[in-house]
Amino acid sequence: MQLSFQHLFFTLAFTFLLIAALILAKSILIPLGLALLLSFILHPVHKKLREKKFGNIGAALTVLVLFFLILIGILAFFSAEILSLSDQLTDFGDKLMNIFTDTVVFLNENFSFLGNLEKDALLEDGKTWLKDAGAGLLGKTFSSTASFFTGMFTMIIYSFLFLIYKQGLVNAFVKFGPDDKKNQYLTMLKNIQQVGQKYLSGMLTLILILGLANSAGLWIIGLDNPFLFGFLAATLSIIPYIGTTIGASIPVLYAFMSKDELWVPLAVAAMFWLIQVIESNFLSPKVVGNSVNVNAFAAILSLIIGASVWGVAGMVLFLPFAAMLKAICESYVPLQPLAMLIGQDAFNDKPKKT
């Protein structure tokens, strides 16, 4: 075997330049990436409306208005859930602070690593720190809200343009392909669009199914605000292993702090475990599909890189981008090993039948 240091250098240089470009141009690329994914989801509806004589522009406007009406309705529902939980969160935070101070005082009495320490003083210092942190968080929230609405407006414009100029963009990108590979290049572009659309629609369907199942289970157990905790856990489940654990830990901890009976948090934990088993073995392969599945290692790595480069937006975008990158790599022979590293098939324990 031979190793080309020249190829290795150019590969590393390209990787670092790409990451630097993503960081420097994130204010442009984040709304552009979100708009691209949104246009993938809305494309089938836009196509059907065009067939019903809405016209290209009219269909794009209609589908965007319908999408944002649904989004506003969802945000209004969960905002009401959070407001109804706000009073309980105050008591919940006080209980957590008391448990924390009791633990610190107990450890200090046995190990004496902080000298003389009183519970009341520690509790007062903790409340003061939370108050100062809350004030700083409030200031950041206002600036983040302004940036959010600016990015949302930009994303709407980009999505509208992607929908109405879809065919022109495809024709333009096909021109980048070699003359003798035009059909293969067009097929690759269609595969990218289909993989992104199928992956995103599948994940949204999976979140809806898991959210309803989690909410129904929490409602039967008797936990307050079951829809809020159920759909929060379902949304976090897109992060393999880690997201499921975090999503289940929040309602389990809330049940432990708000309920006197020990069986309630145990029942919540058992319910999430059962739903996770069903989701991993039956729902995810059927809803999302094995053809666009990203293995757990590639998914977690894409989430970490996305969070480092673009923050929360990167965690949302880089996972479906990994699925689309897999479709691109499958079209080029030198990049097919990278597609195998991203996909699930190469890590399947079951031997393939020949």
Side-chain angles (χ1 to χ4, degrees), residues 239-254:
I239 307 174
Y241 306 123
I242 301 174
T244 303
T245 303
I246 296 174
S249 300
I250 295 174
V252 168
L253 181 61
Y254 178 78

Side-chain angles (χ1 to χ4, degrees), residues 21-332:
L22 290 175
I23 295 174
L24 293 175
K26 65 179 181 179
S27 61
I28 299 173
L29 295 177
I30 289 176
L32 196 63
L34 289 172
L36 180 64
L37 297 183
L38 181 60
S39 64
F40 282 166
I41 300 174
L42 300 180
H43 171 67
V45 182
H46 175 257
K47 184 178 179 180
K48 290 183 179 180
L49 290 178
R50 285 184 61 186
E51 294 173 354
K52 293 183 180 297
K53 311 301 181 182
F54 272 73
N56 190 22
I57 297 178
L61 289 173
T62 303
V63 75
L64 284 172
V65 169
L66 290 175
F67 172 79
F68 282 102
L69 286 176
I70 295 173
L71 181 62
I72 290 172
I74 294 173
L75 292 176
F77 174 78
F78 285 106
S79 297
E81 289 282 305
I82 294 174
L83 289 175
S84 65
L85 191 65
S86 59
D87 294 335
Q88 301 179 32
L89 287 177
T90 302
D91 298 334
F92 184 60
D94 292 339
K95 289 181 180 180
L96 284 178
M97 184 60 68
N98 284 323
I99 292 175
F100 172 75
T101 53
D102 289 337
T103 303
V104 172
V105 169
F106 173 79
L107 293 175
N108 187 63
E109 289 177 351
N110 289 273
F111 297 99
S112 299
F113 58 88
L114 290 176
N116 294 326
L117 188 66
E118 296 182 358
K119 177 182 176 180
D120 294 337
L122 182 62
L123 188 62
E124 189 65 28
D125 292 339
K127 290 181 178 179
T128 302
W129 178 81
L130 287 176
K131 184 178 179 181
D132 295 338
L137 181 63
L138 185 62
K140 291 182 180 179
T141 301
F142 283 115
S143 60
S144 299
T145 303
S147 301
F148 171 79
F149 282 110
T150 302
M152 183 67 70
F153 179 74
T154 308
M155 185 187 71
I156 294 172
I157 296 176
Y158 286 152
S159 301
F160 176 76
L161 295 176
F162 278 137
L163 288 173
I164 64 174
Y165 292 128
K166 182 248 181 184
Q167 190 59 48
L169 291 171
V170 171
N171 294 335
F173 277 110
V174 168
K175 293 293 184 180
F176 287 102
D179 293 336
D180 58 338
K181 302 289 185 181
K182 295 291 186 183
N183 292 332
Q184 296 181 20
Y185 201 79
L186 179 61
T187 301
M188 183 191 70
L189 292 176
K190 289 183 178 179
N191 287 337
I192 295 171
Q193 188 265 332
Q194 291 173 358
V195 166
Q197 178 185 322
K198 187 175 180 180
Y199 189 91
L200 292 168
S201 60
M203 290 304 299
L204 290 175
T205 304
L206 189 64
I207 289 174
L208 179 61
I209 295 173
L210 291 177
L212 292 174
N214 294 339
S215 302
L218 294 175
W219 178 74
I220 293 172
I221 293 172
L223 196 68
D224 299 329
N225 303 95
F227 285 98
L228 177 63
F229 290 117
F231 277 92
L232 175 63
T235 304
L236 292 174
S237 66
I238 64 174
I239 307 174
Y241 306 123
I242 301 174
T244 303
T245 303
I246 296 174
S249 300
I250 295 174
V252 168
L253 181 61
Y254 178 78
F256 181 77
M257 297 297 297
S258 61
K259 301 292 183 180
D260 296 329
E261 299 87 354
L262 184 60
W263 69 267
V264 176
L266 294 178
V268 172
M271 181 212 70
F272 275 106
W273 174 80
L274 178 62
I275 292 177
Q276 173 60 25
V277 171
I278 297 174
E279 182 268 333
S280 300
N281 294 281
F282 301 102
L283 288 178
S284 185
K286 297 294 183 182
V287 176
V288 180
N290 291 323
S291 61
V292 295
N293 261 353
V294 175
N295 66 69
F297 175 76
I300 293 175
L301 186 62
S302 65
L303 289 169
I304 294 174
I305 295 175
S308 302
V309 176
W310 286 351
V312 178
M315 297 179 68
V316 175
L317 290 170
F318 274 52
L319 191 55
F321 281 173
M324 288 186 282
L325 176 62
K326 174 175 171 283
I328 296 174
C329 294
E330 288 174 344
S331 301
Y332 295 92

